């Protein structure tokens, strides 16, 4: 599928001596895995090329994937190719120096609301961006090389963005491409230990979450974690934000929301929206956000806005339940 665009991308990679890879702010497992995995593939396949991933941002729970490259002088970016992965709009690109590069390629699996780039390859039905990178490798496997290190990065993204191959975007193709990675040798015991083992203190925080989460009349589960609570449990912003997953298996709650106050006290509250069966991204778009049908992000700036978002979600669940069968 989309072989022509992939060919164009491969030709651009071949054309440039220096390539920079970019990703989005607050990187998740998929964009970390895709950026690092793609870098490895290009480096392995074209050892004479300079490939940089200069970001400086990581997430604590993904620190095991290792650091990025050190910053280089601005003039290094000129005459080079920028490949941006997993980032729907240009404002969310974490290293804005992509603007210094000569040409920009967008590779993404979010709904393409704001197209950008000289070449854009977007497949919003893909369960992860890493799946697209593995597909890219697989399309040109006679020319490209995939090491076990690259396979580890890419498998990390496939696993994390698909909820361990559970979400609806997962297809037969997803599993075939994941299988290809396993054939390259991924240490899954090490990977799952890094991803899923939890600190004792975090278990105590989860107990607090289960105790304080609320539910609306029609089935929206939500939590609000203010800055004080984050301090009390000694939580990083990332750990506090991960609380959204604690609500993902409540029968009848088709939508669940985590509101996390920004500890820098700038008045913003991060919102993580999740749903099953029904779509949630249109709601996120009303609150400075966006994302996927079942997983989106947004930002609100007051308690009133937070309540309005919860009411909006409640109305959407109500409408969905009234008009559809088979949900749980
Ligand atoms: P999060 O809950 O922040 O992990 O976001 C879930 C999904 O929505 C991710 O794929 C994000 O890339 C996407 N997303 C989060 N915030 C935004 C935003 N402000 N605009 C567009 N997409 C977003």
């Amino acid at each position: 599928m989309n072989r022509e665009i992939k060919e164009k991308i491969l030709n651009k990679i071949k054309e440039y001596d220096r390539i920079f890879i970019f990703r989005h702010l607050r990187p998740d497992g998929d964009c970390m895995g895709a950026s690092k995995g793609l870098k490895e593939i290009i480096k392995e396949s074209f050892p004479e090329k300079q490939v940089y991933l200069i970001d400086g941002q990581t997430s604590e729970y993904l620190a095991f994937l290792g650091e990025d490259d050190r910053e280089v002088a601005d003039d290094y970016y000129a005459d080079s190719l920028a490949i941006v992965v997993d980032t729907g709009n240009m404002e969310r690109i974490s290293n804005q120096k992509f603007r210094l590069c000569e040409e920009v390629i967008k590779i993404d699996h979010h709904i393409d609301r704001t197209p950008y780039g000289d070449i854009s390859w977007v497949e919003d039905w893909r369960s992860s961006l890493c799946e697209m990178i593995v597909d890219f490798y697989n399309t040109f496997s006679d020319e490209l090389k995939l090491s076990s290190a690259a396979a580890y990065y890419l498998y990390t993204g496939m696993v994390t963005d698909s909820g361990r191959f559970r979400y609806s975007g997962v297809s037969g193709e997803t599993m075939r491409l994941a299988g290809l990675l396993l054939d390259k040798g991924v240490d899954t015991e090490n990977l799952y230990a890094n991803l899923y083992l939890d600190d004792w203190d975090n278990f105590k925080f989860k107990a607090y979450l289960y105790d304080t989460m609320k539910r609306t009349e029609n089935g929206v589960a939500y939590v609000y974690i203010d800055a004080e609570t984050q301090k009390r449990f000694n939580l990083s912003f990332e750990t506090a934000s991960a609380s959204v997953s604690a609500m993902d298996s409540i029968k009848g709650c088709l939508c669940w929301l985590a509101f996390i106050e920004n500890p820098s006290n700038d008045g913003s509250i991060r919102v993580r929206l999740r749903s099953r069966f029904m779509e949630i991204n249109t709601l996120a778009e009303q609150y400075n956000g966006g994302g996927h049908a079942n997983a989106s992000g947004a930002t609100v700036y007051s308690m009133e806005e937070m309540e309005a978002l919860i009411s909006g979600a409640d109305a959407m669940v109500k409408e969905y339940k009234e008009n559809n069968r088979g949900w749980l």
Side-chain angles (χ1 to χ4, degrees), residues 24 28 89 92 110 270 272 274 288-292 295-298:
H24 64 71
D28 55 19
N89 55 59
R92 289 195 81 223
H110 294 93
R270 178 183 185 189
R272 305 191 80 191
R274 301 289 184 267
N288 316 295
H292 307 280
S296 289

Side-chain angles (χ1 to χ4, degrees), residues 12-293:
K12 285 291 168 196
I13 291 173
K14 287 178 180 166
E15 186 184 321
Y16 280 85
D17 295 332
R18 195 178 294 143
I19 298 161
F20 285 84
I21 296 171
F22 298 87
R23 62 186 182 220
H24 64 71
L25 291 166
R26 276 201 302 245
D28 55 19
D30 188 27
C31 99
M32 289 278 282
S35 53
K36 286 175 178 290
L38 178 61
K39 180 183 160 184
E40 281 300 313
I41 291 174
I42 301 175
K43 261 178 49 186
E44 285 274 319
S45 312
F46 307 102
E48 71 287 357
K49 292 189 190 293
Q50 293 177 296
V51 194
Y52 292 102
L53 173 59
I54 294 164
D55 186 298
Q57 284 206 357
T58 185
S59 304
E60 204 183 316
Y61 75 102
L62 296 166
F64 70 95
L65 293 176
E67 291 181 0
D68 300 326
D69 298 314
R70 295 230 183 103
E71 183 58 286
V72 293
D74 280 6
D75 55 357
Y76 261 59
Y77 288 85
D79 305 324
S80 66
L81 175 67
I83 305 181
V84 187
V85 296
D86 198 37
T87 312
N89 55 59
M90 290 196 284
E91 293 68 36
R92 289 195 81 223
I93 300 173
S94 53
N95 178 0
Q96 285 286 319
K97 289 188 182 171
F98 78 95
R99 294 175 194 274
L100 302 174
C101 295
E102 188 160 311
E103 284 189 277
V104 176
I105 294 176
K106 174 185 187 179
I107 304 179
D108 194 21
H109 73 132
H110 294 93
I111 299 159
D112 203 10
R113 299 265 187 248
T114 44
Y116 65 86
D118 301 284
I119 299 176
S120 174
W121 176 33
V122 179
E123 296 187 352
D124 62 17
W125 63 89
R126 293 283 191 177
S127 69
S128 66
L129 203 279
C130 283
E131 182 181 320
M132 291 177 70
I133 302 296
V134 187
D135 172 61
F136 180 74
Y137 159 77
N138 195 34
T139 308
F140 307 110
S141 58
D142 49 339
E143 287 185 80
L144 297 176
K145 294 197 173 104
L146 184 84
S147 64
S148 61
Y152 186 95
Y153 291 137
L154 294 165
Y155 199 75
T156 303
M158 291 190 83
V159 164
T160 52
D161 238 36
S162 67
R164 271 186 266 176
F165 303 107
R166 242 179 73 198
Y167 301 152
S168 56
V170 173
S171 62
E173 166 98 330
T174 310
M175 302 313 268
R176 281 185 287 279
L177 293 170
L180 182 159
L181 295 179
L182 291 179
D183 288 345
K184 296 280 174 187
V186 178
D187 184 347
T188 47
E189 186 173 26
N190 171 285
L191 174 62
Y192 291 137
N194 273 304
L195 284 177
Y196 301 120
L197 294 186
D198 224 344
D199 290 335
W200 180 261
D201 288 349
N202 213 24
F203 274 92
K204 294 291 168 195
F205 170 59
K206 278 187 185 156
Y208 166 83
L209 277 179
Y210 287 128
D211 210 33
T212 52
M213 60 178 64
K214 294 195 173 64
R215 186 174 55 161
T216 65
E217 190 185 340
N218 294 294
V220 177
Y222 62 96
V223 286
Y224 172 53
I225 303 153
D226 61 15
E228 203 188 302
T229 307
Q230 293 173 46
K231 216 166 147 190
R232 178 149 63 94
F233 284 96
N234 200 15
L235 302 173
S236 66
F237 189 60
E238 277 313 315
T239 311
S241 301
S243 56
V244 70
S245 353
M247 299 173 285
D248 69 359
S249 314
I250 307 169
K251 267 191 184 169
C253 289
L254 305 192
C255 171
W256 51 106
L257 312 167
F259 296 88
I260 311 102
E261 186 178 18
N262 194 323
S264 70
N265 278 328
D266 67 353
S268 71
I269 300 170
R270 178 183 185 189
V271 192
R272 305 191 80 191
L273 305 91
R274 301 289 184 267
S275 64
R276 64 176 170 273
F277 300 109
M278 52 172 273
E279 292 183 359
I280 200 69
N281 55 301
T282 49
L283 184 65
E285 283 162 20
Q286 292 168 38
Y287 292 90
N288 316 295
H292 307 280

